[in-house]
Every structure is written in structure tokens, then in C-alpha cells.
Amino acid sequence: MCTDQLNSLSFCLQCKEFTFHTGYEVLIQRLLDGRKMCKDVEDLLKQRAQAEERYGKELIQIARKAGGQTEINTLKSAFERLKQQIESVGNSHIQLAVMLKDELKGIEEFRERQKEQRKKYEAAMERIQKRKLSHYKKTVESKKTYEQKCKEADEAEQSFERTSASGNQKQTEKSQNKAKQCRDAANEAENVYKQNIEQLDKVRTEWEQEHIKTCEVFQLQECDRITILRNSLWVHCNQLSMQCVKDDELYEEVRVSLENCIVESDIDYFIKTKMTGTQPPDAIGYESYYTREPNRSNSIGRLQFPEQNPSKYMLGSSCAFRLTTVPFSVSFQNMDELDISEGDIVVVIEENEDGWWTAERNGQRGFVPGSYLEKL
């Protein structure tokens, strides 16, 4: 396809001005713009791959934290299937991200190969263009010199003719010699000018050949670039379409599992596995107080507190507290509990989160219930 394009329409853009390279500069700018387009496509694929990877990882995390352990029977099975398929979808999107990264790598490598090839031809064109401009400048200077020498020769010959008419032999000979020298200088300048013209035309021919070859290479590069990017975007769209189909297939399995979710079956399963009986409890009968056996229900109640290990607490800032009135007598049974009575003043060493505070009274230290203390 690119060969046909070269035959029908050429990238070889020319400029009428001998010293201008506008056509070539336009072509170089097109290649630079194409390189930027490659980077834009790379950025798109890179960001899409990152998004797919993040999405896949988030789906896996959601599926693994979904819970559902309290459900039973067919609904639980359907829910577990949903979690499995969500995780499968997440893994497939991560795999899509890997494929996008591979496609991205291929475009990057293609772009670098084109860059290396373009630089080689650019360097050759830069050398030949410098030679052409240098010879052109040299030719223009030799032309000016030639024209100046011709002007001086014409003036010298005119002066010789005027001197001859005056009849002064000595002056005539002098004028004749000068005219001859000026004409010889003009002839020499003409030869130099002609040589420079020939050399410039030779350089121009070389430049034109190099220009055509370079333009053909650059056109092929542009054809390859457009083809590569078009195919890459096509593949990208196909990958996304296939991902949508794959996601739907996975979710279809969940729908099939939900079709097997039967309400009556789950109710029967719960009744059969959790059955505790079918008969209600008997009625509560009357019991006379005076017919019961004596007990010690009138004895003073004892407040029980959990055992604590005082070694795990550290001394902190202290503050004085008083034991308030309690609805019953308090008896501390453990050795690490401080024995205090209503109205006693203690110094709190540390207020622990479990409700037992470390306190000190009369040189003795132990645990007391913080809820019964009030700050002085």
C-alpha cells in the first residue's frame, strides 16, 4: 500500500528558493508530530492498563471481603458463586492490563526504531544542505568578484582609448598595460565563477538525489506509523470487546446459580438443621413462699470484682479521691485489692480502662473500683 502511495503521491516537497528547505522542514515537522502521536497512544494505553489493573485488584479485594457466611443453602451457594465470579472478572481485567502493556511496549520499540532511522537520514541531509549553502555562498561571492573585475576592465579600456586620442605615447602605454591587466583579472574571475557554478550544480544534484531518497524513506516511515497505530487501536478495541463478553459469560454463571436458588428449599433446610423441638414449654405453676426450704437469701451480698495483675500497670499522675456510698457492703477478696470503706480518701495512681484503678492509702497500694470514687 505504501509503495502505491509513493508512485501516486510523493512526500518529496520542494521549494523554488535555492537556499530554502521549506519542503523538507515541513516533512520533518510531520514526522515529529507523528512521533508525538505515538507517545499519545502510548499514554492512552498506559493509563488504560493502569485503570484496568486497579479495577481488577479492587474487584478481587471486594470479593474476598464480601462476607455472606451467615447465609445458608441455595442462596449462600449463589452468593459464593457471585464472589468467585467477581474475583474471576478482576483477574481477567488484570490480564487485560498485561496485554495492553505488551501492546504499549511494541509501540515504544517501533517509535525508537523509527527515531534511529530518521536521525541517520537527517544527519546526511544536514551535511549535504550545508555543502550546498556553502557552495552557493562561494558562487555568489565569485560572481560579485567577476562582475567587479569586468567593470574595472571596461573602465580601464575606456581610459586607454581616451589616452590614445591625446597622443601622449608614454601615458598611452601605461594605460594600455593597465587595461590588459584588468582584462586578464576579469577573465580569471570569470573562470573561477564558472568553476563555482559547475561545482554548485554538482552539489545541487547530489542534494536533490539525497533529498528524494530521504523523502521516500520518511514517507515509508509515515505509512508504517499510521498502519501500526491504526492496527494497535483496532486490537485495543477488540480486547475491550472481548473483555465485555468474558465478563458477561462469568456473570451468566451467577444468574444460572440464582435460578437454582429456591426459597422453600432454604426455609426447609433451616428448619431441619436448626430444629430445637416442636412442643411449647409448660405453664409456670404457683409456688408458695412458706412451703420452700429455708435459704440464706437475707445474707449480706458480696460484690465480686475480676482479678487483676497489678504488675502490668505503671505509676502515673496521682489525685485524691473519696469512696462514695454504695448500695451494699463491698468486700475485696484478692490480695492486690485495696481494702477501703465509705468516706476513705485515697490517692489514685492510674485510671485503668477496665474500671479498676490503681490507688494508695496509708502507704498501701492496690486496686479499687473507679466507679465508686469521686474526685475531691
Side-chain angles (χ1 to χ4, degrees), residues 141-156:
E141 292 176 352
S142 65
K143 180 182 178 182
K144 290 181 179 179
T145 302
Y146 163 67
E147 291 175 349
Q148 180 64 30
K149 295 298 182 181
C150 288
K151 184 178 180 181
E152 292 176 356
D154 291 343
E155 292 176 351

Side-chain angles (χ1 to χ4, degrees), residues 28 75 78 88 100 123-124 139 148-149 163 193 226 246 293-294 334 346-347 365 375:
I28 289 296
L75 181 58
S88 297
L100 292 176
T139 301
Q148 180 64 30
K149 295 298 182 181
T163 303
Y193 174 47
I226 295 175
K246 184 181 296 184
E293 294 183 0
N334 294 330
V346 298
V347 176
R365 181 175 297 180
K375 191 173 183 180

Side-chain angles (χ1 to χ4, degrees), residues 135-361:
H135 281 284
Y136 176 78
K137 182 178 179 180
K138 185 177 180 181
T139 301
V140 170
E141 292 176 352
S142 65
K143 180 182 178 182
K144 290 181 179 179
T145 302
Y146 163 67
E147 291 175 349
Q148 180 64 30
K149 295 298 182 181
C150 288
K151 184 178 180 181
E152 292 176 356
D154 291 343
E155 292 176 351
E157 290 175 352
Q158 292 174 4
S159 176
F160 169 68
E161 292 176 357
R162 290 193 298 270
T163 303
S164 299
S166 65
N168 188 335
Q169 185 66 27
K170 185 177 181 180
Q171 190 66 28
T172 300
E173 291 178 359
K174 183 178 179 181
S175 180
Q176 184 180 10
N177 291 333
K178 182 178 180 181
K180 184 177 182 303
Q181 291 176 356
C182 289
R183 180 54 60 185
D184 292 341
N187 292 335
E188 184 178 355
E190 181 181 16
N191 292 331
V192 173
Y193 174 47
K194 288 180 179 180
Q195 291 175 1
N196 287 335
I197 286 290
E198 293 176 357
Q199 185 66 27
L200 179 60
D201 188 64
K202 181 180 179 181
V203 173
R204 182 196 61 80
T205 302
E206 294 177 0
W207 169 83
E208 185 174 348
Q209 293 173 351
E210 186 68 28
H211 179 74
I212 294 173
K213 181 175 67 174
T214 300
C215 289
E216 289 176 349
V217 171
F218 287 171
Q219 183 166 352
L220 286 173
Q221 277 198 338
E222 187 67 0
C223 289
D224 291 342
R225 183 190 67 82
I226 295 175
T227 302
I228 289 293
L229 293 185
R230 182 195 61 182
N231 293 342
S232 178
L233 295 177
W234 196 296
V235 169
H236 178 55
C237 291
N238 287 342
Q239 289 172 338
L240 298 181
S241 297
M242 291 175 61
Q243 185 62 46
C244 293
V245 174
K246 184 181 296 184
D247 290 352
D248 186 68
E249 290 176 352
L250 294 174
Y251 290 130
E252 178 62 24
E253 294 186 18
V254 180
R255 288 190 286 267
V256 172
S257 178
L258 289 171
E259 289 176 353
N260 297 325
C261 178
I262 303 173
V263 177
E264 294 79 4
S265 175
D266 284 10
I267 295 297
D268 291 343
Y269 179 83
F270 170 73
I271 293 173
K272 291 179 180 178
T273 57
K274 301 298 181 180
M275 180 180 293
T276 59
T278 58
Q279 298 296 327
D282 296 333
I284 303 298
Y286 170 77
E287 295 181 1
S288 174
Y289 174 80
Y290 296 100
T291 60
R292 294 185 302 176
E293 294 183 0
N295 55 52
R296 292 182 293 179
S297 60
N298 294 328
S299 61
I300 298 178
R302 173 173 295 173
L303 180 64
Q304 300 293 336
F305 297 101
E307 295 183 359
Q308 300 290 335
N309 181 10
S311 62
K312 68 178 180 180
Y313 298 103
M314 297 180 63
L315 293 178
S317 59
S318 61
C319 184
F321 286 76
R322 177 187 287 116
L323 181 65
T324 60
T325 303
V326 295
F328 43 84
S329 61
V330 180
S331 176
F332 302 98
Q333 296 179 338
N334 294 330
M335 295 297 296
D336 55 352
E337 298 169 350
L338 186 64
D339 190 11
I340 57 177
S341 302
E342 178 181 346
D344 289 345
I345 298 176
V346 298
V347 176
V348 175
I349 305 302
E350 183 176 5
E351 299 179 9
N352 303 312
E353 295 180 357
D354 59 0
W356 286 89
W357 295 2
T358 305
E360 183 176 291
R361 179 176 179 272

Side-chain angles (χ1 to χ4, degrees), residues 116-128:
E116 294 299 323
Q117 186 182 32
R118 188 183 73 250
K119 288 295 183 182
K120 181 177 67 174
Y121 282 91
E122 283 183 2
M125 280 297 296
E126 184 178 0
R127 288 192 298 269
I128 194 66

